[in-house]
Amino acid sequence: MASGSLTVLGSSGGFPISGFACSGYLARVAGQSLLLDCGPGIAGALIGADAKAGIDGVVISHLHSDHVLDLIPLGYALMTEWLTDGRTEPVPLYLPPGGLEFLQSFSDLFGHRNWRFTEEGRNAGYQALGAALARGQDWLLTVFDAREYEPGEDIAFGTTTIATFPVDHRVRTAAMRLRLGAMDFVYSADTRFLPALGHFAAGTDLFLVDAHFSGPKAPGGLHMTPADAGRLAAIANAKRLVLCHLGAPEDGASARQAAAAHFDGEIHVAFDTREYRL
């Protein structure tokens, strides 16, 4: 049976807290590294001293800033691989509806389509980027193979499938489920309490649930409380619950207690436990 791992690169809500990045989860399975969401601080948490992005694909749950802003620095890292290492293979990037227009508008803020690279006498990646820019294309949308998906559709990465499920947030948002042999986890993304999401996550080994309404500093918005997260994990009969997107690290103990009133399985706090084997 295949196995994998899940690394919480960040799960702070709205802005990085105490050096902990916003939403970003790295799934390693079947020799692939898949990034789910890419909020502020994720590029720094992901990219090591070798300056390599080290990812095979990216899926974005929704187009709020704390889930997408680091697509720009991540794209810069990929561009550098093209220019210096001769890379020519783009990284698949899946975005919810409206994502292509959003990404192009975001990139245009920095004038990326106006850059120019001399094509002659350089490696294949350098030449490919130069040629794309000469045709009026955007280098960011060259190093990424960006495409849209509809929440509810399956997304295939080689032998790995990500099932998606539409949830209840201010914008089009998808929860995600990864399955491969013994590996199974669900990421709720931002959503209000939604019993149907518990059914989507039925029997999962690891349930990452946003619980943004926690502690005295929790802002408004369509999110769940830790108690809601516990109720949802109970509906799913999940083996382990991970409380993500909390208001602050010091809210961990009270959030765990609130969730435990509704769920008697293992409960973790993403601020505290960041590595999971599956």
Side-chain angles (χ1 to χ4, degrees), residues 10 23 34 41 43 45 48 53 57 130-131 140 152 156 181 199 212 224 226 231 256:
S23 296
L34 306 177
L140 185 70
H199 300 306
H212 200 42
M224 285 184 281
R231 292 164 59 205
R256 185 184 284 108

Side-chain angles (χ1 to χ4, degrees), residues 27-94:
R28 297 184 181 90
V29 62
Q32 295 182 306
S33 293
L34 306 177
L35 179 65
L36 312 181
D37 281 347
C38 193
I42 291 302
L46 179 67
I47 299 167
D50 62 357
K52 306 290 187 186
I55 53 170
D56 299 295
V58 183
V59 184
I60 299 298
S61 67
H62 66 293
L63 300 175
H64 279 167
S65 61
D66 55 338
H67 294 256
V68 300
L69 282 186
D70 263 23
L71 285 176
I72 296 294
L74 182 59
Y76 272 71
L78 292 171
M79 176 188 66
T80 300
E81 292 183 35
W82 286 56
L83 296 178
T84 62
D85 300 339
R87 176 176 180 150
T88 57
E89 183 180 355
V91 169
L93 167 61
Y94 286 85

Side-chain angles (χ1 to χ4, degrees), residues 155-181:
I155 299 171
F157 285 103
T159 58
T160 303
T161 298
I162 300 178
T164 69
F165 182 81
V167 293
D168 185 4
H169 199 40
R170 292 192 186 280
V171 297
R172 300 288 295 281
T173 304
M176 306 175 200
R177 184 169 192 163
L178 267 71
R179 305 171 183 265
L180 185 70

Side-chain angles (χ1 to χ4, degrees), residues 3 16 33 37 82 92 100 104 107 109 181-182 231 236 245-246 252 256:
S3 63
S33 293
D37 281 347
W82 286 56
L100 291 175
Q104 185 63 80
S107 186
L109 294 175
R231 292 164 59 205
H245 220 268
L246 296 180
R256 185 184 284 108

Side-chain angles (χ1 to χ4, degrees), residues 165 177 186 192-204 207 209 224 227-241 259 261-265:
F165 182 81
R177 184 169 192 163
V186 176
R192 293 198 300 184
F193 178 75
L194 192 65
L197 176 56
H199 300 306
F200 171 74
T204 187
F207 198 2
V209 180
M224 285 184 281
D228 289 334
R231 292 164 59 205
L232 203 62
I235 291 171
N237 193 26
K239 293 183 175 65
R240 291 177 285 176
L241 167 64
H262 302 275
F263 176 64
D264 59 7

